[in-house]
PDB file of all heavy atoms in Angstrom:
ATOM      1  N   ALA A   1       0.853  -1.192   0.000  1.00 97.00           N
ATOM      2  CA  ALA A   1       0.000   0.000   0.000  1.00 97.00           C
ATOM      3  C   ALA A   1       0.884   1.237   0.000  1.00 97.00           C
ATOM      4  O   ALA A   1       1.850   1.305   0.759  1.00 97.00           O
ATOM      5  CB  ALA A   1      -0.900  -0.002   1.227  1.00 97.00           C
ATOM      6  N   ALA A   2       0.555   2.199  -0.842  1.00 96.00           N
ATOM      7  CA  ALA A   2       1.315   3.445  -0.911  1.00 96.00           C
ATOM      8  C   ALA A   2       0.428   4.598  -0.460  1.00 96.00           C
ATOM      9  O   ALA A   2      -0.723   4.710  -0.876  1.00 96.00           O
ATOM     10  CB  ALA A   2       1.819   3.686  -2.324  1.00 96.00           C
ATOM     11  N   PHE A   3       0.983   5.438   0.400  1.00 96.00           N
ATOM     12  CA  PHE A   3       0.290   6.614   0.909  1.00 96.00           C
ATOM     13  C   PHE A   3       1.089   7.855   0.514  1.00 96.00           C
ATOM     14  O   PHE A   3       2.044   7.747  -0.243  1.00 96.00           O
ATOM     15  CB  PHE A   3       0.116   6.498   2.426  1.00 96.00           C
ATOM     16  CG  PHE A   3      -0.679   5.280   2.823  1.00 96.00           C
ATOM     17  CD1 PHE A   3      -0.040   4.095   3.141  1.00 96.00           C
ATOM     18  CD2 PHE A   3      -2.064   5.307   2.837  1.00 96.00           C
ATOM     19  CE1 PHE A   3      -0.768   2.961   3.487  1.00 96.00           C
ATOM     20  CE2 PHE A   3      -2.803   4.181   3.175  1.00 96.00           C
ATOM     21  CZ  PHE A   3      -2.151   3.014   3.497  1.00 96.00           C
ATOM     22  N   LYS A   4       0.740   9.011   1.016  1.00 95.00           N
ATOM     23  CA  LYS A   4       1.435  10.237   0.624  1.00 95.00           C
ATOM     24  C   LYS A   4       2.904  10.235   1.032  1.00 95.00           C
ATOM     25  O   LYS A   4       3.759  10.665   0.285  1.00 95.00           O
ATOM     26  CB  LYS A   4       0.749  11.459   1.236  1.00 95.00           C
ATOM     27  CG  LYS A   4      -0.545  11.813   0.586  1.00 95.00           C
ATOM     28  CD  LYS A   4      -1.118  13.072   1.187  1.00 95.00           C
ATOM     29  CE  LYS A   4      -2.449  13.421   0.543  1.00 95.00           C
ATOM     30  NZ  LYS A   4      -3.019  14.641   1.097  1.00 95.00           N
ATOM     31  N   SER A   5       3.179   9.765   2.245  1.00 96.00           N
ATOM     32  CA  SER A   5       4.545   9.873   2.748  1.00 96.00           C
ATOM     33  C   SER A   5       5.207   8.546   3.079  1.00 96.00           C
ATOM     34  O   SER A   5       6.341   8.524   3.520  1.00 96.00           O
ATOM     35  CB  SER A   5       4.564  10.755   3.997  1.00 96.00           C
ATOM     36  OG  SER A   5       3.796  10.148   5.017  1.00 96.00           O
ATOM     37  N   HIS A   6       4.501   7.426   2.891  1.00 97.00           N
ATOM     38  CA  HIS A   6       5.117   6.136   3.211  1.00 97.00           C
ATOM     39  C   HIS A   6       4.471   4.998   2.426  1.00 97.00           C
ATOM     40  O   HIS A   6       3.443   5.172   1.783  1.00 97.00           O
ATOM     41  CB  HIS A   6       5.029   5.856   4.714  1.00 97.00           C
ATOM     42  CG  HIS A   6       3.651   5.589   5.205  1.00 97.00           C
ATOM     43  ND1 HIS A   6       2.744   6.584   5.477  1.00 97.00           N
ATOM     44  CD2 HIS A   6       3.001   4.424   5.454  1.00 97.00           C
ATOM     45  CE1 HIS A   6       1.609   6.056   5.893  1.00 97.00           C
ATOM     46  NE2 HIS A   6       1.729   4.732   5.885  1.00 97.00           N
ATOM     47  N   VAL A   7       5.116   3.849   2.529  1.00 97.00           N
ATOM     48  CA  VAL A   7       4.642   2.623   1.889  1.00 97.00           C
ATOM     49  C   VAL A   7       4.494   1.578   2.986  1.00 97.00           C
ATOM     50  O   VAL A   7       5.320   1.496   3.896  1.00 97.00           O
ATOM     51  CB  VAL A   7       5.655   2.128   0.832  1.00 97.00           C
ATOM     52  CG1 VAL A   7       5.275   0.763   0.294  1.00 97.00           C
ATOM     53  CG2 VAL A   7       5.782   3.132  -0.291  1.00 97.00           C
ATOM     54  N   ASN A   8       3.431   0.778   2.917  1.00 97.00           N
ATOM     55  CA  ASN A   8       3.239  -0.325   3.856  1.00 97.00           C
ATOM     56  C   ASN A   8       3.369  -1.642   3.121  1.00 97.00           C
ATOM     57  O   ASN A   8       2.764  -1.831   2.062  1.00 97.00           O
ATOM     58  CB  ASN A   8       1.855  -0.284   4.507  1.00 97.00           C
ATOM     59  CG  ASN A   8       1.763   0.691   5.655  1.00 97.00           C
ATOM     60  OD1 ASN A   8       2.757   1.258   6.080  1.00 97.00           O
ATOM     61  ND2 ASN A   8       0.573   0.884   6.156  1.00 97.00           N
ATOM     62  N   LEU A   9       4.131  -2.559   3.708  1.00 98.00           N
ATOM     63  CA  LEU A   9       4.135  -3.942   3.283  1.00 98.00           C
ATOM     64  C   LEU A   9       3.216  -4.653   4.261  1.00 98.00           C
ATOM     65  O   LEU A   9       3.488  -4.684   5.461  1.00 98.00           O
ATOM     66  CB  LEU A   9       5.547  -4.546   3.331  1.00 98.00           C
ATOM     67  CG  LEU A   9       5.616  -6.059   3.085  1.00 98.00           C
ATOM     68  CD1 LEU A   9       5.129  -6.409   1.679  1.00 98.00           C
ATOM     69  CD2 LEU A   9       7.013  -6.577   3.320  1.00 98.00           C
ATOM     70  N   ILE A  10       2.119  -5.189   3.766  1.00 97.00           N
ATOM     71  CA  ILE A  10       1.099  -5.803   4.618  1.00 97.00           C
ATOM     72  C   ILE A  10       1.280  -7.320   4.583  1.00 97.00           C
ATOM     73  O   ILE A  10       1.290  -7.926   3.505  1.00 97.00           O
ATOM     74  CB  ILE A  10      -0.309  -5.408   4.145  1.00 97.00           C
ATOM     75  CG1 ILE A  10      -0.437  -3.880   4.164  1.00 97.00           C
ATOM     76  CG2 ILE A  10      -1.379  -6.073   4.996  1.00 97.00           C
ATOM     77  CD1 ILE A  10      -1.628  -3.344   3.402  1.00 97.00           C
ATOM     78  N   LEU A  11       1.424  -7.893   5.771  1.00 97.00           N
ATOM     79  CA  LEU A  11       1.645  -9.334   5.907  1.00 97.00           C
ATOM     80  C   LEU A  11       0.493  -9.937   6.710  1.00 97.00           C
ATOM     81  O   LEU A  11       0.300  -9.562   7.865  1.00 97.00           O
ATOM     82  CB  LEU A  11       2.974  -9.589   6.616  1.00 97.00           C
ATOM     83  CG  LEU A  11       4.197  -8.993   5.924  1.00 97.00           C
ATOM     84  CD1 LEU A  11       5.372  -8.954   6.868  1.00 97.00           C
ATOM     85  CD2 LEU A  11       4.529  -9.803   4.674  1.00 97.00           C
ATOM     86  N   PRO A  12      -0.263 -10.868   6.117  1.00 96.00           N
ATOM     87  CA  PRO A  12      -1.402 -11.438   6.832  1.00 96.00           C
ATOM     88  C   PRO A  12      -0.976 -12.549   7.796  1.00 96.00           C
ATOM     89  O   PRO A  12       0.046 -13.191   7.603  1.00 96.00           O
ATOM     90  CB  PRO A  12      -2.258 -12.017   5.711  1.00 96.00           C
ATOM     91  CG  PRO A  12      -1.262 -12.416   4.678  1.00 96.00           C
ATOM     92  CD  PRO A  12      -0.169 -11.392   4.760  1.00 96.00           C
ATOM     93  N   GLY A  13      -1.771 -12.740   8.819  1.00 94.00           N
ATOM     94  CA  GLY A  13      -1.537 -13.844   9.740  1.00 94.00           C
ATOM     95  C   GLY A  13      -1.830 -13.456  11.166  1.00 94.00           C
ATOM     96  O   GLY A  13      -1.788 -12.276  11.526  1.00 94.00           O
ATOM     97  N   PRO A  14      -2.088 -14.445  12.001  1.00 93.00           N
ATOM     98  CA  PRO A  14      -2.367 -14.177  13.416  1.00 93.00           C
ATOM     99  C   PRO A  14      -1.100 -13.719  14.138  1.00 93.00           C
ATOM    100  O   PRO A  14       0.009 -13.867  13.614  1.00 93.00           O
ATOM    101  CB  PRO A  14      -2.861 -15.527  13.945  1.00 93.00           C
ATOM    102  CG  PRO A  14      -2.277 -16.535  13.016  1.00 93.00           C
ATOM    103  CD  PRO A  14      -2.174 -15.873  11.681  1.00 93.00           C
ATOM    104  N   PRO A  15      -1.244 -13.165  15.334  1.00 91.00           N
ATOM    105  CA  PRO A  15      -0.075 -12.729  16.091  1.00 91.00           C
ATOM    106  C   PRO A  15       0.930 -13.878  16.251  1.00 91.00           C
ATOM    107  O   PRO A  15       0.549 -15.032  16.433  1.00 91.00           O
ATOM    108  CB  PRO A  15      -0.655 -12.317  17.448  1.00 91.00           C
ATOM    109  CG  PRO A  15      -2.072 -11.974  17.152  1.00 91.00           C
ATOM    110  CD  PRO A  15      -2.496 -12.894  16.051  1.00 91.00           C
ATOM    111  N   GLY A  16       2.204 -13.554  16.143  1.00 90.00           N
ATOM    112  CA  GLY A  16       3.264 -14.544  16.288  1.00 90.00           C
ATOM    113  C   GLY A  16       3.649 -15.248  15.001  1.00 90.00           C
ATOM    114  O   GLY A  16       4.537 -16.093  15.007  1.00 90.00           O
ATOM    115  N   THR A  17       3.027 -14.900  13.882  1.00 93.00           N
ATOM    116  CA  THR A  17       3.339 -15.556  12.607  1.00 93.00           C
ATOM    117  C   THR A  17       4.730 -15.178  12.120  1.00 93.00           C
ATOM    118  O   THR A  17       5.446 -16.014  11.580  1.00 93.00           O
ATOM    119  CB  THR A  17       2.302 -15.173  11.533  1.00 93.00           C
ATOM    120  OG1 THR A  17       1.009 -15.557  11.993  1.00 93.00           O
ATOM    121  CG2 THR A  17       2.581 -15.841  10.209  1.00 93.00           C
ATOM    122  N   TYR A  18       5.121 -13.944  12.323  1.00 94.00           N
ATOM    123  CA  TYR A  18       6.392 -13.439  11.793  1.00 94.00           C
ATOM    124  C   TYR A  18       7.365 -13.134  12.926  1.00 94.00           C
ATOM    125  O   TYR A  18       7.028 -12.398  13.855  1.00 94.00           O
ATOM    126  CB  TYR A  18       6.150 -12.179  10.948  1.00 94.00           C
ATOM    127  CG  TYR A  18       5.172 -12.441   9.839  1.00 94.00           C
ATOM    128  CD1 TYR A  18       3.833 -12.091   9.973  1.00 94.00           C
ATOM    129  CD2 TYR A  18       5.566 -13.073   8.675  1.00 94.00           C
ATOM    130  CE1 TYR A  18       2.918 -12.355   8.974  1.00 94.00           C
ATOM    131  CE2 TYR A  18       4.666 -13.348   7.668  1.00 94.00           C
ATOM    132  CZ  TYR A  18       3.339 -12.983   7.819  1.00 94.00           C
ATOM    133  OH  TYR A  18       2.440 -13.257   6.827  1.00 94.00           O
ATOM    134  N   ALA A  19       8.576 -13.681  12.810  1.00 93.00           N
ATOM    135  CA  ALA A  19       9.622 -13.394  13.800  1.00 93.00           C
ATOM    136  C   ALA A  19      10.056 -11.948  13.612  1.00 93.00           C
ATOM    137  O   ALA A  19      10.441 -11.545  12.507  1.00 93.00           O
ATOM    138  CB  ALA A  19      10.795 -14.346  13.599  1.00 93.00           C
ATOM    139  N   ASP A  20       9.978 -11.177  14.669  1.00 93.00           N
ATOM    140  CA  ASP A  20      10.297  -9.743  14.589  1.00 93.00           C
ATOM    141  C   ASP A  20      11.046  -9.298  15.842  1.00 93.00           C
ATOM    142  O   ASP A  20      10.523  -8.538  16.656  1.00 93.00           O
ATOM    143  CB  ASP A  20       9.002  -8.943  14.418  1.00 93.00           C
ATOM    144  CG  ASP A  20       9.244  -7.460  14.206  1.00 93.00           C
ATOM    145  OD1 ASP A  20      10.348  -7.078  13.787  1.00 93.00           O
ATOM    146  OD2 ASP A  20       8.307  -6.687  14.470  1.00 93.00           O
ATOM    147  N   PRO A  21      12.308  -9.758  16.001  1.00 90.00           N
ATOM    148  CA  PRO A  21      13.042  -9.385  17.217  1.00 90.00           C
ATOM    149  C   PRO A  21      13.326  -7.885  17.306  1.00 90.00           C
ATOM    150  O   PRO A  21      13.462  -7.340  18.396  1.00 90.00           O
ATOM    151  CB  PRO A  21      14.330 -10.199  17.129  1.00 90.00           C
ATOM    152  CG  PRO A  21      14.464 -10.593  15.704  1.00 90.00           C
ATOM    153  CD  PRO A  21      13.079 -10.626  15.132  1.00 90.00           C
ATOM    154  N   GLY A  22      13.405  -7.225  16.169  1.00 92.00           N
ATOM    155  CA  GLY A  22      13.675  -5.786  16.170  1.00 92.00           C
ATOM    156  C   GLY A  22      12.442  -4.938  16.401  1.00 92.00           C
ATOM    157  O   GLY A  22      12.531  -3.717  16.536  1.00 92.00           O
ATOM    158  N   GLY A  23      11.266  -5.547  16.429  1.00 93.00           N
ATOM    159  CA  GLY A  23      10.029  -4.797  16.650  1.00 93.00           C
ATOM    160  C   GLY A  23       9.688  -3.837  15.524  1.00 93.00           C
ATOM    161  O   GLY A  23       9.113  -2.779  15.757  1.00 93.00           O
ATOM    162  N   LEU A  24      10.027  -4.208  14.283  1.00 95.00           N
ATOM    163  CA  LEU A  24       9.782  -3.328  13.139  1.00 95.00           C
ATOM    164  C   LEU A  24       8.350  -3.393  12.616  1.00 95.00           C
ATOM    165  O   LEU A  24       7.856  -2.440  12.031  1.00 95.00           O
ATOM    166  CB  LEU A  24      10.745  -3.678  12.000  1.00 95.00           C
ATOM    167  CG  LEU A  24      12.235  -3.535  12.327  1.00 95.00           C
ATOM    168  CD1 LEU A  24      13.077  -4.074  11.183  1.00 95.00           C
ATOM    169  CD2 LEU A  24      12.577  -2.090  12.617  1.00 95.00           C
ATOM    170  N   LEU A  25       7.704  -4.532  12.822  1.00 96.00           N
ATOM    171  CA  LEU A  25       6.332  -4.678  12.328  1.00 96.00           C
ATOM    172  C   LEU A  25       5.359  -3.949  13.242  1.00 96.00           C
ATOM    173  O   LEU A  25       5.494  -3.984  14.461  1.00 96.00           O
ATOM    174  CB  LEU A  25       5.952  -6.159  12.237  1.00 96.00           C
ATOM    175  CG  LEU A  25       6.695  -6.952  11.171  1.00 96.00           C
ATOM    176  CD1 LEU A  25       6.321  -8.417  11.248  1.00 96.00           C
ATOM    177  CD2 LEU A  25       6.411  -6.401   9.788  1.00 96.00           C
ATOM    178  N   GLU A  26       4.388  -3.296  12.629  1.00 95.00           N
ATOM    179  CA  GLU A  26       3.398  -2.524  13.374  1.00 95.00           C
ATOM    180  C   GLU A  26       2.029  -3.169  13.232  1.00 95.00           C
ATOM    181  O   GLU A  26       1.796  -3.958  12.331  1.00 95.00           O
ATOM    182  CB  GLU A  26       3.326  -1.091  12.831  1.00 95.00           C
ATOM    183  CG  GLU A  26       4.605  -0.311  12.986  1.00 95.00           C
ATOM    184  CD  GLU A  26       4.484   1.097  12.427  1.00 95.00           C
ATOM    185  OE1 GLU A  26       3.362   1.635  12.343  1.00 95.00           O
ATOM    186  OE2 GLU A  26       5.527   1.666  12.073  1.00 95.00           O
ATOM    187  N   GLY A  27       1.143  -2.763  14.121  1.00 90.00           N
ATOM    188  CA  GLY A  27      -0.232  -3.236  14.076  1.00 90.00           C
ATOM    189  C   GLY A  27      -0.490  -4.220  15.193  1.00 90.00           C
ATOM    190  O   GLY A  27       0.348  -5.055  15.507  1.00 90.00           O
ATOM    191  N   ASP A  28      -1.661  -4.089  15.784  1.00 81.00           N
ATOM    192  CA  ASP A  28      -2.013  -4.983  16.878  1.00 81.00           C
ATOM    193  C   ASP A  28      -3.237  -5.818  16.537  1.00 81.00           C
ATOM    194  O   ASP A  28      -3.847  -6.422  17.399  1.00 81.00           O
ATOM    195  CB  ASP A  28      -2.248  -4.203  18.166  1.00 81.00           C
ATOM    196  CG  ASP A  28      -3.280  -3.105  17.997  1.00 81.00           C
ATOM    197  OD1 ASP A  28      -3.783  -2.934  16.878  1.00 81.00           O
ATOM    198  OD2 ASP A  28      -3.583  -2.413  18.979  1.00 81.00           O
ATOM    199  N   GLY A  29      -3.567  -5.865  15.253  1.00 73.00           N
ATOM    200  CA  GLY A  29      -4.735  -6.613  14.829  1.00 73.00           C
ATOM    201  C   GLY A  29      -4.512  -8.107  14.887  1.00 73.00           C
ATOM    202  O   GLY A  29      -3.391  -8.593  14.976  1.00 73.00           O
ATOM    203  N   GLN A  30      -5.601  -8.835  14.825  1.00 85.00           N
ATOM    204  CA  GLN A  30      -5.539 -10.286  14.867  1.00 85.00           C
ATOM    205  C   GLN A  30      -5.328 -10.892  13.483  1.00 85.00           C
ATOM    206  O   GLN A  30      -5.160 -12.095  13.361  1.00 85.00           O
ATOM    207  CB  GLN A  30      -6.837 -10.830  15.467  1.00 85.00           C
ATOM    208  CG  GLN A  30      -7.067 -10.402  16.898  1.00 85.00           C
ATOM    209  CD  GLN A  30      -6.000 -10.964  17.834  1.00 85.00           C
ATOM    210  OE1 GLN A  30      -5.744 -12.143  17.840  1.00 85.00           O
ATOM    211  NE2 GLN A  30      -5.378 -10.087  18.588  1.00 85.00           N
ATOM    212  N   THR A  31      -5.333 -10.064  12.453  1.00 90.00           N
ATOM    213  CA  THR A  31      -5.257 -10.597  11.100  1.00 90.00           C
ATOM    214  C   THR A  31      -3.950 -10.303  10.378  1.00 90.00           C
ATOM    215  O   THR A  31      -3.788 -10.726   9.245  1.00 90.00           O
ATOM    216  CB  THR A  31      -6.410 -10.060  10.250  1.00 90.00           C
ATOM    217  OG1 THR A  31      -6.333  -8.634  10.222  1.00 90.00           O
ATOM    218  CG2 THR A  31      -7.747 -10.494  10.802  1.00 90.00           C
ATOM    219  N   GLY A  32      -3.032  -9.587  10.976  1.00 93.00           N
ATOM    220  CA  GLY A  32      -1.765  -9.331  10.308  1.00 93.00           C
ATOM    221  C   GLY A  32      -1.011  -8.152  10.874  1.00 93.00           C
ATOM    222  O   GLY A  32      -1.447  -7.489  11.813  1.00 93.00           O
ATOM    223  N   LYS A  33       0.148  -7.925  10.280  1.00 95.00           N
ATOM    224  CA  LYS A  33       1.041  -6.820  10.659  1.00 95.00           C
ATOM    225  C   LYS A  33       1.451  -6.087   9.391  1.00 95.00           C
ATOM    226  O   LYS A  33       1.251  -6.569   8.280  1.00 95.00           O
ATOM    227  CB  LYS A  33       2.303  -7.378  11.337  1.00 95.00           C
ATOM    228  CG  LYS A  33       2.052  -8.153  12.613  1.00 95.00           C
ATOM    229  CD  LYS A  33       1.984  -7.223  13.758  1.00 95.00           C
ATOM    230  CE  LYS A  33       1.933  -7.992  15.068  1.00 95.00           C
ATOM    231  NZ  LYS A  33       1.917  -7.123  16.188  1.00 95.00           N
ATOM    232  N   HIS A  34       2.082  -4.930   9.566  1.00 96.00           N
ATOM    233  CA  HIS A  34       2.598  -4.208   8.408  1.00 96.00           C
ATOM    234  C   HIS A  34       3.921  -3.531   8.756  1.00 96.00           C
ATOM    235  O   HIS A  34       4.193  -3.228   9.917  1.00 96.00           O
ATOM    236  CB  HIS A  34       1.591  -3.188   7.876  1.00 96.00           C
ATOM    237  CG  HIS A  34       1.306  -2.063   8.824  1.00 96.00           C
ATOM    238  ND1 HIS A  34       0.340  -2.141   9.785  1.00 96.00           N
ATOM    239  CD2 HIS A  34       1.877  -0.846   8.963  1.00 96.00           C
ATOM    240  CE1 HIS A  34       0.315  -1.004  10.474  1.00 96.00           C
ATOM    241  NE2 HIS A  34       1.245  -0.209   9.991  1.00 96.00           N
ATOM    242  N   LEU A  35       4.715  -3.326   7.736  1.00 97.00           N
ATOM    243  CA  LEU A  35       5.982  -2.621   7.866  1.00 97.00           C
ATOM    244  C   LEU A  35       5.830  -1.281   7.171  1.00 97.00           C
ATOM    245  O   LEU A  35       5.477  -1.224   5.994  1.00 97.00           O
ATOM    246  CB  LEU A  35       7.110  -3.428   7.204  1.00 97.00           C
ATOM    247  CG  LEU A  35       8.478  -2.746   7.147  1.00 97.00           C
ATOM    248  CD1 LEU A  35       9.059  -2.587   8.556  1.00 97.00           C
ATOM    249  CD2 LEU A  35       9.440  -3.533   6.271  1.00 97.00           C
ATOM    250  N   LYS A  36       6.079  -0.202   7.894  1.00 97.00           N
ATOM    251  CA  LYS A  36       5.957   1.147   7.336  1.00 97.00           C
ATOM    252  C   LYS A  36       7.337   1.619   6.895  1.00 97.00           C
ATOM    253  O   LYS A  36       8.272   1.637   7.693  1.00 97.00           O
ATOM    254  CB  LYS A  36       5.379   2.100   8.384  1.00 97.00           C
ATOM    255  CG  LYS A  36       5.080   3.485   7.846  1.00 97.00           C
ATOM    256  CD  LYS A  36       4.556   4.410   8.918  1.00 97.00           C
ATOM    257  CE  LYS A  36       3.132   4.062   9.257  1.00 97.00           C
ATOM    258  NZ  LYS A  36       2.508   5.049  10.161  1.00 97.00           N
TER     259      LYS A  36
END
């Protein structure tokens, strides 16, 4: 997804699907995370 000032990479899945030790993924939804 592209917005005015940033791009999101949207990754579907329940919490814990993607290893993210750096805490880069955002979103607290039950259906996925995104990288801004």
Side-chain angles (χ1 to χ4, degrees):
F3 300 93
K4 286 183 181 181
S5 63
H6 69 279
V7 172
N8 279 353
L9 172 63
I10 302 165
L11 302 164
T17 302
Y18 304 98
D20 185 22
L24 300 173
L25 292 175
E26 297 180 24
D28 55 358
Q30 297 296 308
T31 59
K33 299 275 188 178
H34 66 273
L35 174 67
K36 186 182 286 188

